[in-house]
Amino acid sequence: MAIYTIQPKRSTLHGSFSREASPILTIQSGDTVRFETLDADWNAGPEQANGRRVEFCTRKHPQDSGHALIGPLYIADAKVGQSLAIHINELRVGTWGWSQGGGFASAVNNRLGMQEKEGYHLIWELDATNMIGTSDKGHKIRLHPFMGVMGMPPDEPDIHSTIPPRYCGGNIDCKELIPGSTLYLPIPVDGGLFSVGDGHAVQGDGEVSGLAVECPMELVDLTFTVEDRALSFPRAQTPTSKITFGVHKDLHEASMIALEGMIDWMQELYGYERKEALNLASLLVDLRITQLVNDVVGVHAVLDEDKLII
């Protein structure tokens, strides 16, 4: 199995999803790619003392309007109707990050009356060895890094925003997807055209301000495997749990999509009848709000494996 390394440069960066995008690399099922990524906002470094930010490179709108993503990758074996398993081997944060509360129009900020004037902005120094973040105003928090965006384009023409997650992945923003986890995505187009970006040093469920500690990642080590099974929505296996996802404009419907995915998976794994799976899900499965801020809301259903004694 081959191992590749990709660093951010103008030719490897983009800020949208499109089935017409030209791949930057072709790999085989079983190959590993080691990425270095920018923060979501295309910054070359932390905010300067004068408040200025310097973009890493010139952006070409509209195809670069969204998160700074590396890709797309063409997986030679990937076909529509199969699924792509993305195993997260290792994640290492960069040395800096930033976060913000309020200061722009959004459903949350508008509801809380925090959309006007400047937001509350923090610049973070990130210690990847001790996994501690320290803000420029003295806050200290423990880091829990993960990638906000891992996904492929829908099988539809034109370009698509990186903001809303879809059935084929994208801006899922699930903090459970740590090293040792595998994300399973339906393959929407032949070759997959997978992209990754939007490193988060830490985020709470909900991502309520609209931002995590946004940061570059020094290493995003992923192994890609094509599996001959059909999925309708993403799933994940973490070191401790099974997760299914739902996204929708309506929170209840997003919850039902995640729940139905978990019931389906419990039937596949354990041979349960459907009502039996629902009965046990009510006892063992947690529904969590993944995020409230990406045009659609996200819910993930979590089955901690130590709760179920087979």
Side-chain angles (χ1 to χ4, degrees):
M1 305 299 180
I3 299 175
Y4 300 91
T5 299
I6 304 177
Q7 295 180 320
K9 51 187 177 181
R10 178 59 274 184
S11 61
T12 63
L13 287 164
H14 63 106
S16 59
F17 287 104
S18 174
R19 69 182 186 185
E20 284 90 33
S22 298
I24 64 170
L25 176 69
T26 296
I27 65 172
Q28 306 292 323
S29 179
D31 287 349
T32 295
V33 183
R34 294 172 175 166
F35 304 86
E36 179 185 344
T37 67
L38 303 182
D39 78 315
D41 214 25
W42 298 71
N43 291 306
E47 185 176 290
Q48 300 174 352
N50 61 6
R52 289 188 65 246
R53 296 186 189 180
V54 178
E55 284 201 332
F56 180 84
C57 62
T58 301
R59 296 166 72 170
K60 302 175 183 178
H61 295 280
Q63 62 266 39
D64 294 333
S65 297
H67 302 81
L69 303 182
I70 299 283
L73 302 184
Y74 187 94
I75 301 96
D77 320 71
K79 302 295 181 185
V80 175
Q82 298 176 311
S83 61
L84 182 64
I86 305 106
H87 186 73
I88 303 165
N89 302 308
E90 186 178 356
L91 298 173
R92 187 166 64 246
V93 298
T95 58
W96 60 273
W98 61 278
S99 60
Q100 183 175 324
F104 60 93
S106 71
V108 172
N109 288 341
N110 296 349
R111 171 64 178 78
L112 298 176
M114 298 185 186
Q115 73 274 27
E116 301 294 338
K117 300 182 180 180
E118 292 185 9
Y120 187 87
H121 194 71
L122 294 172
I123 304 298
W124 294 88
E125 179 182 328
L126 306 180
D127 179 348
T129 301
N130 296 303
M131 297 298 281
I132 293 174
T134 305
S135 82
D136 56 336
K137 294 182 174 65
H139 311 89
K140 285 187 178 290
I141 58 176
R142 297 208 175 273
L143 305 183
H144 182 92
F146 68 97
M147 299 310 296
V149 177
M150 292 186 284
M152 296 172 279
D155 188 15
E156 300 169 6
D158 300 323
I159 65 171
H160 301 272
S161 170
T162 64
I163 294 175
R166 302 175 177 87
Y167 73 95
C168 45
N171 192 25
I172 295 174
D173 281 337
C174 181
K175 71 177 186 180
E176 311 290 342
L177 299 178
I178 61 172
S181 302
T182 303
L183 176 64
Y184 301 93
L185 299 176
I187 296 174
V189 295
D190 288 349
L193 297 178
F194 175 90
S195 298
V196 64
D198 189 26
H200 291 169
V202 64
Q203 177 205 295
D205 285 338
E207 198 186 23
V208 293
S209 82
L211 297 161
V213 172
E214 308 289 335
C215 69
M217 301 293 286
E218 291 185 354
L219 178 63
V220 181
D221 189 312
L222 306 177
T223 297
F224 299 87
T225 307
V226 175
E227 297 193 355
D228 193 20
R229 62 171 173 173
L231 293 176
S232 58
F233 247 79
R235 294 177 176 176
Q237 174 72 59
T238 79
T240 60
S241 61
K242 289 179 169 56
I243 297 177
T244 54
F245 297 91
V247 297
H248 198 272
K249 287 283 187 181
D250 179 76
L251 181 60
H252 183 266
E253 184 59 27
S255 301
M256 291 302 98
I257 294 169
L259 175 60
E260 186 169 27
M262 182 58 74
I263 288 172
D264 290 343
W265 205 0
M266 291 172 73
Q267 288 188 274
E268 294 169 23
L269 290 169
Y270 310 121
Y272 295 151
E273 297 180 7
R274 198 154 184 81
K275 291 179 181 178
E276 180 184 13
L278 176 60
N279 184 316
L280 290 167
S282 191
L283 311 179
L284 304 173
V285 173
D286 296 314
L287 292 182
R288 299 176 184 164
I289 297 174
T290 323
Q291 54 76 24
L292 290 170
V293 293
N294 293 329
D295 293 345
V296 296
V297 298
V299 173
H300 55 290
V302 182
L303 174 60
D304 289 329
E305 293 181 325
D306 62 0
K307 292 182 178 179
L308 184 61
I309 303 172
I310 303 300

